[in-house]
């Protein structure tokens, strides 16, 4: 039986090596909260809030995550005794999936350490080798974009994902495809379009893309279904998918052919596994999107990507693609387009936390 003793919240700012721009915003540093959860038997598990400092992706921010943990989630978790992480009951609290994941991920890490197995095996993963792709943000010039793609391919990344926006999409695809005609490639619009752009979006079919990620608004299952009927390129939903019910809606309406599962967006491993299994049973391949995670969130996302229906290369790549110095040792590395997860217990990496603002809750 696991009984929780205390949680330490570490807050730190990490500057990105390169600014990351999408159709909504440009990120230059990440405001990170790491949770360090202790049980009464002396085991420790780590979790990460991957929320951004502003609510452009979902409604949560690092500040709302800290507030939810301090005032709502920790009191709820502290009162529970569990044998297995799937027994953790957080449903009394509505949504707040990133805050829940910051604790739920730590519970799974702690459980894997208690049971002396790597986290990926504890969740039912079937491989320690994860194929990875590179996500490339909007660049100020086309030349810079071409250069970034070249670098990523030289580093072995297996597919390229380009962020696009309405004013700068077909012309970029034209240039990129001329240079890289056969590279596995996809685009992510972060909801930059509406159904009025349907004729425009149809033109993307000629570029042989693996998928168009989240072209329309996050709550627009009906319009995504109308669009998917008209375009050959598979639509992938990302921002639309927060719950298993969202996936069931998307499958019933045929709003997409592919789903991006992000651990933090769906409230942790237990929900992510259910969504994975449902997609597998309905012939919807999934893949693991990235949130510019620091090491803990990165290791946990990669553990999730070892489940068998994760079909396309994952977004979270090498630590040094994003950070001057990551908070884990060793850092995550990509070799020949794959990340190999360690066989150590739990997330498999040691923490390297230096200057953080700490707050202890008991
Ligand atoms: Mg996305």
């Amino acid at each position: 039986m696991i009984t929780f003793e205390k949680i330490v919240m570490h807050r730190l700012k990490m500057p990105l090596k390169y600014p990351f721009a999408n159709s909504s915003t440009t990120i230059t540093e990440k405001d990170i909260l790491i949770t360090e959860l202790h049980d009464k038997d002396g085991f420790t598990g780590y979790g990460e809030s991957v929320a951004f400092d502003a609510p452009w992706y979902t409604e949560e921010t690092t500040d709302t995550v800290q507030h939810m943990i301090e005032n709502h989630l920790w009191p709820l978790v502290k009162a529970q005794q569990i044998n297995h992480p799937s027994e953790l009951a957080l449903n009394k609290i509505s949504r707040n999936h990133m805050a829940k994941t910051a604790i739920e991920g730590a519970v799974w890490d702690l459980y894997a350490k208690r049971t002396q197995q790597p986290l990926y095996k504890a969740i039912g993963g079937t491989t320690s080798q994860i194929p990875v792709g590179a996500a490339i943000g909007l660049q100020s010039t086309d030349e810079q974009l071409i250069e970034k793609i070249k670098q990523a391919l030289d580093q072995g990344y297996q597919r390229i994902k380009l962020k696009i926006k309405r004013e700068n999409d077909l012309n970029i695809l034209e240039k990129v495809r001329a240079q890289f005609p056969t590279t596995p490639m996809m685009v992510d619009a972060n909801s930059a379009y509406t159904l009025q752009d349907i004729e425009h979006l149809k033109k993307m079919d000629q570029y042989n893309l693996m998928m168009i990620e989240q072209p329309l608004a996050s709550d627009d299952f009906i319009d995504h279904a109308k669009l998917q009927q008209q375009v050959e390129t598979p639509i992938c939903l990302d921002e639309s998918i927060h719950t298993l019910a969202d996936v069931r809606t998307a499958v019933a309406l045929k709003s997409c052919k592919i789903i991006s599962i992000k651990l933090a967006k769906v409230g942790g491993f237990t929900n992510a596994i259910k969504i994975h299994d449902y997609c597998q049973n309905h012939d919807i391949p999934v893949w693991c999107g990235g949130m510019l995670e620091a090491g803990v969130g990165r290791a946990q996302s990669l553990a999730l990507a070892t489940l068998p229906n994760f079909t396309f290369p994952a977004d979270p790549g090498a630590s040094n693609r994003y950070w001057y110095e990551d908070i884990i040792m060793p850092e995550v590395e990509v070799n020949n387009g794959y990340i190999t997860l360690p066989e150590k217990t739990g997330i498999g990496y040691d923490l390297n936390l230096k200057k953080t603002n700490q707050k202890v809750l008991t």
Side-chain angles (χ1 to χ4, degrees), residues 251-266:
V251 170
L253 295 176
K254 299 188 167 63
S255 308
C256 65
K257 294 178 178 168
I258 299 169
I259 279 175
S260 160
I261 304 182
K262 288 178 181 164
L263 190 63
K265 204 180 46 177
V266 302

Side-chain angles (χ1 to χ4, degrees), residues 1-4 40 77-84 87:
M1 191 68 93
I2 307 173
T3 310
F4 301 104
K40 291 203 166 142
V77 168
K78 191 173 62 169
Q80 297 181 39
Q81 287 189 316
I82 57 170
N83 287 305
H84 187 268
E87 295 166 15

Side-chain angles (χ1 to χ4, degrees), residues 212-319:
I212 304 175
E213 190 179 336
Q214 198 69 42
L216 310 178
S218 61
D219 52 0
D220 223 338
F221 290 97
I222 294 172
D223 283 357
H224 273 112
K226 287 181 185 163
L227 178 62
Q228 183 67 90
Q229 277 181 357
Q230 301 262 337
V231 295
E232 281 170 33
T233 310
I235 290 175
C236 167
L237 291 182
D238 172 10
E239 282 93 328
S240 296
I241 304 298
H242 300 266
T243 62
L244 179 58
D246 290 336
V247 178
R248 292 174 59 216
T249 303
V251 170
L253 295 176
K254 299 188 167 63
S255 308
C256 65
K257 294 178 178 168
I258 299 169
I259 279 175
S260 160
I261 304 182
K262 288 178 181 164
L263 190 63
K265 204 180 46 177
V266 302
F269 283 103
T270 300
N271 291 341
I273 294 165
K274 283 182 193 155
I275 289 173
H276 164 273
D277 294 351
Y278 184 88
C279 289
Q280 191 170 31
N281 292 334
H282 289 80
D283 296 323
I284 302 280
V286 304
W287 63 283
C288 175
M291 291 290 294
L292 304 175
E293 299 94 339
V296 173
R298 186 165 302 268
Q300 294 188 339
S301 288
L302 291 166
L304 181 67
T306 67
L307 295 174
N309 192 37
F310 278 81
T311 306
F312 301 100
D315 256 358
S319 299

Side-chain angles (χ1 to χ4, degrees), residues 80-272:
Q80 297 181 39
Q81 287 189 316
I82 57 170
N83 287 305
H84 187 268
S86 62
E87 295 166 15
L88 196 67
L90 304 177
N91 286 347
K92 276 187 192 164
I93 292 170
S94 176
R95 292 181 72 101
N96 286 285
H97 288 171
M98 293 188 184
K100 286 177 180 170
T101 304
I103 284 200
E104 201 257 15
V107 173
W108 275 93
D109 179 31
L110 186 148
Y111 169 78
K113 285 169 179 158
R114 280 179 72 103
T115 52
Q116 298 193 317
Q117 56 184 328
L119 176 62
Y120 83 87
K121 284 188 180 159
I123 66 159
T126 50
T127 174
S128 60
Q129 294 268 105
I130 303 144
V132 285
I136 298 177
L138 295 165
Q139 304 292 316
S140 35
T141 67
D142 296 348
E143 292 69 32
Q144 218 168 311
L145 178 67
I146 299 281
E147 190 50 39
K148 288 266 176 192
I149 296 172
K150 272 188 192 150
Q151 282 171 8
L153 294 174
D154 286 347
Q155 289 160 1
Y157 286 93
Q158 299 195 24
R159 66 104 178 96
I160 298 296
K161 163 168 146 179
L162 302 178
K163 294 284 186 179
I164 51 167
K165 58 179 179 181
R166 182 71 176 78
E167 312 76 51
N168 202 1
D169 50 9
L170 297 173
N171 52 333
I172 284 216
L173 284 169
E174 188 67 36
K175 280 185 189 157
V176 167
R177 268 300 182 220
Q179 287 263 349
F180 308 97
T182 58
T183 300
M185 202 166 282
M186 55 184 280
V187 293
D188 185 1
N190 293 105
S191 303
Y193 302 89
T194 70
L195 208 50
Q196 291 185 329
D197 296 310
I198 203 159
E199 291 306 318
H200 182 82
L201 288 164
K202 273 182 179 172
K203 292 180 186 155
M204 289 193 192
D205 280 341
Q206 64 187 297
Y207 298 109
N208 188 28
L209 300 171
M210 301 160 82
M211 65 192 91
I212 304 175
E213 190 179 336
Q214 198 69 42
L216 310 178
S218 61
D219 52 0
D220 223 338
F221 290 97
I222 294 172
D223 283 357
H224 273 112
K226 287 181 185 163
L227 178 62
Q228 183 67 90
Q229 277 181 357
Q230 301 262 337
V231 295
E232 281 170 33
T233 310
I235 290 175
C236 167
L237 291 182
D238 172 10
E239 282 93 328
S240 296
I241 304 298
H242 300 266
T243 62
L244 179 58
D246 290 336
V247 178
R248 292 174 59 216
T249 303
V251 170
L253 295 176
K254 299 188 167 63
S255 308
C256 65
K257 294 178 178 168
I258 299 169
I259 279 175
S260 160
I261 304 182
K262 288 178 181 164
L263 190 63
K265 204 180 46 177
V266 302
F269 283 103
T270 300
N271 291 341

